[in-house]
């Protein structure tokens, strides 16, 4: 058995503050025995859309990534963290411009090992473009370039880990593909809205855990983000392969940076999979594409 921690915090437009909160969570969770620590989507900053391109390319943002890598190395733990990632070459930068000529970025989850090395950069595949009556209109693709590939699961101290992000949660096909490729845990760093989170968040997380018979690690942004109209749902949690919520962060205001932890029991996971062998029962003859 090994402990995993998921974080809940409220990122602001001040990158250095968000780094300090994240480093403190990494240190405290590792002191309490966690071997892998999961931070939310957009932990580096949440700011008005007009500021996203410049903040993404700022020295502060480079320092953010270096600071998380150092904290992982010093604590000797693995860290997953959601960031805004600039395209790496000037050609990619040109391709990244939106219709208005604005520079876009990737919504990226970094997976960092206990030595501070960045092993994976998962770029969010499904972007949150919605227009819901009652005032929820968000066009993530205005500021974000969609990723183009699912990464194979990565072997970590808490098990074989599949990387996904936030809105990807609504699409079962990548989670099923990752499970077929051997994932035992799925991670969804998120910044769900209050409107959709109240209705769908826990149900979707538990559904993904139940149908893939995997742990689901869901770090989350929480609360009203300064300078924006956005408020995040929080409810960061860990769900086990049977679908039980085995850890959840507090929903008490004022929101403080926090984390919750659960034991990852891979033996119980394998038993669950043996007792109800969904993967031997799938109708690949009828649904070959997964
Ligand atoms: O890049 C950033 O600044 C942070 N990213 C986000 O907050 C993203 C895109 S706007 N949020 C979601 O995907 C929410 C999904 C959601 O709420 C749902 O599926 O219901």
């Amino acid at each position: 058995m090994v402990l995993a921690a998921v974080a809940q915090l409220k990122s602001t437009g001040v990158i250095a503050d968000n780094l300090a909160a994240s480093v403190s969570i990494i240190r405290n969770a590792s002191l309490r025995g966690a071997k892998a620590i999961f931070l939310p989507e957009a932990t580096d900053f949440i700011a008005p859309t007009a500021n996203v391109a410049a903040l993404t390319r700022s020295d502060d943002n480079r320092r953010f990534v270096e600071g998380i890598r150092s904290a992982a190395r010093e604590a000797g733990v693995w860290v997953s963290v959601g960031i805004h990632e600039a395209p790496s070459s000037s050609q990619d930068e040109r391709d990244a411009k939106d219709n208005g000529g604005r520079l876009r970025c990737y919504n990226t989850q970094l997976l960092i090992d206990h030595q501070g090395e960045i092993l994976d950069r998962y770029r969010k595949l499904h972007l949150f473009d919605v227009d819901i009556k009652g005032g929820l209109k968000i066009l993530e693709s205005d500021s974000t370039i969609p990723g183009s590939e699912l990464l194979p699961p990565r072997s970590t101290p808490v098990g074989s880990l599949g990387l996904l992000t936030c809105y990807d949660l609504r699409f079962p096909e990548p989670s099923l593909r990752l499970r077929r490729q051997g994932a035992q845990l799925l991670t969804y760093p998120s910044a769900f809205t209050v409107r959709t989170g109240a209705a769908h968040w826990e149900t979707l997380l538990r559904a993904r855990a139940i149908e893939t018979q995997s742990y689901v690690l869901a770090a989350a942004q929480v609360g009203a983000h300064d300078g924006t109209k956005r408020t995040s749902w929080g409810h960061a949690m860990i769900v086990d392969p049977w679908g039980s919520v085995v850890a959840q962060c507090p929903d008490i205001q004022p929101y403080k940076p926090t984390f919750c932890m659960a034991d990852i029991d891979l033996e119980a996971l394998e038993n669950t999979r043996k007792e109800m062998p969904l993967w031997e029962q799938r109708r690949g003859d009828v649904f070959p594409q997964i």
Side-chain angles (χ1 to χ4, degrees), residues 141 154 166 228 255:
S141 58
R154 180 64 76 175
C166 198
T228 75
Y255 294 115

PDB file of all heavy atoms in Angstrom, residues 141 154 166 228 255:
ATOM      1  N   SER A 141     -11.032  27.336 -26.371  1.00  0.00           N
ATOM      2  CA  SER A 141     -10.196  27.302 -27.588  1.00  0.00           C
ATOM      3  C   SER A 141      -9.750  28.700 -28.024  1.00  0.00           C
ATOM      4  O   SER A 141      -8.870  28.825 -28.867  1.00  0.00           O
ATOM      5  CB  SER A 141     -10.919  26.581 -28.721  1.00  0.00           C
ATOM      6  OG  SER A 141     -12.144  27.207 -28.991  1.00  0.00           O
ATOM      7  N   ARG A 154       1.944   5.620 -17.476  1.00  0.00           N
ATOM      8  CA  ARG A 154       3.301   5.737 -16.966  1.00  0.00           C
ATOM      9  C   ARG A 154       3.395   4.950 -15.658  1.00  0.00           C
ATOM     10  O   ARG A 154       2.529   5.071 -14.791  1.00  0.00           O
ATOM     11  CB  ARG A 154       3.568   7.221 -16.724  1.00  0.00           C
ATOM     12  CG  ARG A 154       4.896   7.605 -16.199  1.00  0.00           C
ATOM     13  CD  ARG A 154       6.065   7.317 -17.082  1.00  0.00           C
ATOM     14  NE  ARG A 154       6.243   8.209 -18.211  1.00  0.00           N
ATOM     15  CZ  ARG A 154       7.303   8.147 -19.032  1.00  0.00           C
ATOM     16  NH1 ARG A 154       8.249   7.245 -18.840  1.00  0.00           N
ATOM     17  NH2 ARG A 154       7.401   8.984 -20.053  1.00  0.00           N
ATOM     18  N   CYS A 166      -9.506  17.530 -16.663  1.00  0.00           N
ATOM     19  CA  CYS A 166     -10.758  18.275 -16.528  1.00  0.00           C
ATOM     20  C   CYS A 166     -11.865  17.841 -17.507  1.00  0.00           C
ATOM     21  O   CYS A 166     -12.454  16.788 -17.344  1.00  0.00           O
ATOM     22  CB  CYS A 166     -10.457  19.775 -16.632  1.00  0.00           C
ATOM     23  SG  CYS A 166     -11.782  20.829 -15.979  1.00  0.00           S
ATOM     24  N   THR A 228     -11.301  37.548 -12.138  1.00  0.00           N
ATOM     25  CA  THR A 228     -12.038  36.872 -13.207  1.00  0.00           C
ATOM     26  C   THR A 228     -13.476  36.681 -12.738  1.00  0.00           C
ATOM     27  O   THR A 228     -13.797  36.910 -11.573  1.00  0.00           O
ATOM     28  CB  THR A 228     -11.469  35.474 -13.521  1.00  0.00           C
ATOM     29  OG1 THR A 228     -11.870  34.576 -12.479  1.00  0.00           O
ATOM     30  CG2 THR A 228      -9.950  35.500 -13.607  1.00  0.00           C
ATOM     31  N   TYR A 255     -11.649  29.249   1.714  1.00  0.00           N
ATOM     32  CA  TYR A 255     -10.873  28.129   1.199  1.00  0.00           C
ATOM     33  C   TYR A 255      -9.387  28.351   1.409  1.00  0.00           C
ATOM     34  O   TYR A 255      -8.856  29.401   1.084  1.00  0.00           O
ATOM     35  CB  TYR A 255     -11.154  27.941  -0.291  1.00  0.00           C
ATOM     36  CG  TYR A 255     -12.567  27.524  -0.570  1.00  0.00           C
ATOM     37  CD1 TYR A 255     -13.424  28.356  -1.275  1.00  0.00           C
ATOM     38  CD2 TYR A 255     -13.047  26.296  -0.125  1.00  0.00           C
ATOM     39  CE1 TYR A 255     -14.730  27.973  -1.553  1.00  0.00           C
ATOM     40  CE2 TYR A 255     -14.346  25.904  -0.386  1.00  0.00           C
ATOM     41  CZ  TYR A 255     -15.188  26.741  -1.096  1.00  0.00           C
ATOM     42  OH  TYR A 255     -16.463  26.362  -1.353  1.00  0.00           O
TER      43      TYR A 255
END
